[in-house]
Structures are given as structure tokens and as C-alpha cells.
Amino acid sequence: MKKLFALITAVIMVFSITACSKAKPDEKNNIGSETGVDSEASVDMGAPVVENGRFIDDKAIPVLDIAGRYVGINYGDCIVSIYTDLEEFAAEVGNVEITNQNGEVVYSGNLIQVMDNKYEIKGTSADFTVYTDNEVINLEFYVDGKHEDYFTMVEPYIS
């Protein structure tokens, strides 16, 4: 039953991604097209850079809202736990664990907030951006600057 649910979720994610890729550039959750700021301007201003083509909401998604269990297309699950007693301007906001299809942990560590809707796994070259699609929170996962997977939230963690 769990595998059937994961398969159905993956199919839904593929259809969502396909629909987003057919959207006009100004309709995508792409920071370059929505803010009108290119990467070079951001570097000059000292702001963190999010590469063009990545999905990321231009409106900040509250950190506590990303806590939950996600299902990926290539990987298995992604579990995001967020600290409930966050200090203002704290960089480390929680922890994350990503498993492969066999349930083996492949990435795990403290979660560092780089900027609104962008997080890194401390001590690794892995990061993800956060975006919503039909009011569902999604993660776009990268390792060494290469796209690895999309994760869709299937169970929010509310505290």
C-alpha cells in the first residue's frame, strides 16, 4: 500500500512539474522572472543568489510551515523537522533526513536557512528551495549545484 501511495504521489508530481514547465516564464515560481532582478545584480548587492530556473516562491513561506514528510520522484522520503523555539535571525532552523527508495539515509544534518525559501544541509553540498503548487509545499533538491529531485509534502508536522 505504501509503494502504491508513493507511486501515485510521484505521478501527480510529474504532472504538476509538466504543467509548470509549460507555463509562461512570468507564471513560474522562478525568482529571476518574478523579482525582475538578475543574478549579477544580486551578487553586486551582496544578496544570496538563486540560480535562474529553480522553483522558489517570491513570498516567504514561514519556516515552521515546511516541517513535514515529503515524497520524492528519485529519492524516497524527505523528513524536515523545524525547531519550535527559534531565535530571531537564527541560521540553523532544524534538521533534515533524506532516504533513497530502499529507505536508507543518504543525506542527514542540520538545516541552515540561507535566505527566504532556500535551505542548505550543514556540512554537505546539498540544498533545496521551497515553493508552493496548488497550496502544497514542495522542495526542489540540488546536490553540488545539480538538480536531483522534487519533493512534495504529504504530511505536515504541526506543533
Side-chain angles (χ1 to χ4, degrees):
M1 182 70 177
K2 186 176 179 181
K3 288 184 179 184
L4 177 62
F5 179 73
L7 177 63
I8 291 170
T9 303
V11 169
I12 291 169
M13 289 173 38
V14 168
F15 282 118
S16 295
I17 293 165
T18 303
C20 287
S21 67
K22 292 181 181 177
K24 295 176 186 166
D26 58 310
E27 293 175 343
K28 289 184 180 180
N29 291 333
N30 179 307
I31 196 164
S33 64
E34 289 191 7
T35 63
V37 177
D38 63 355
S39 297
E40 290 179 23
S42 296
V43 172
D44 292 342
M45 295 168 34
V49 175
V50 177
E51 300 83 4
N52 283 337
R54 276 196 177 195
F55 289 106
I56 183 169
D57 271 14
D58 59 344
K59 183 178 176 185
I61 297 171
V63 176
L64 286 172
D65 289 358
I66 70 168
R69 185 172 74 85
Y70 298 77
V71 174
I73 297 171
N74 301 321
Y75 287 88
D77 286 350
C78 175
I79 305 296
V80 176
S81 299
I82 300 297
Y83 305 138
T84 55
D85 190 21
L86 286 174
E87 294 181 20
E88 190 173 3
F89 305 113
E92 193 171 300
V93 297
N95 54 61
V96 63
E97 181 177 278
I98 298 174
T99 60
N100 62 18
Q101 294 291 344
N102 297 326
E104 300 162 334
V105 176
V106 289
Y107 291 98
S108 178
N110 294 331
L111 197 58
I112 307 297
Q113 184 174 22
V114 178
M115 59 183 273
D116 286 343
N117 303 332
K118 185 174 182 186
Y119 300 85
E120 294 178 349
I121 302 174
K122 186 175 182 178
T124 71
S125 59
D127 66 82
F128 61 83
T129 53
V130 181
Y131 66 98
T132 56
D133 185 19
N134 293 324
E135 299 182 21
V136 175
I137 296 176
N138 297 277
L139 311 176
E140 186 173 15
F141 183 58
Y142 278 71
V143 176
D144 293 323
K146 295 180 186 176
H147 179 266
E148 289 288 318
D149 207 353
Y150 294 99
F151 289 97
T152 298
M153 182 182 280
V154 293
E155 179 183 355
Y157 294 164
I158 300 169
S159 56

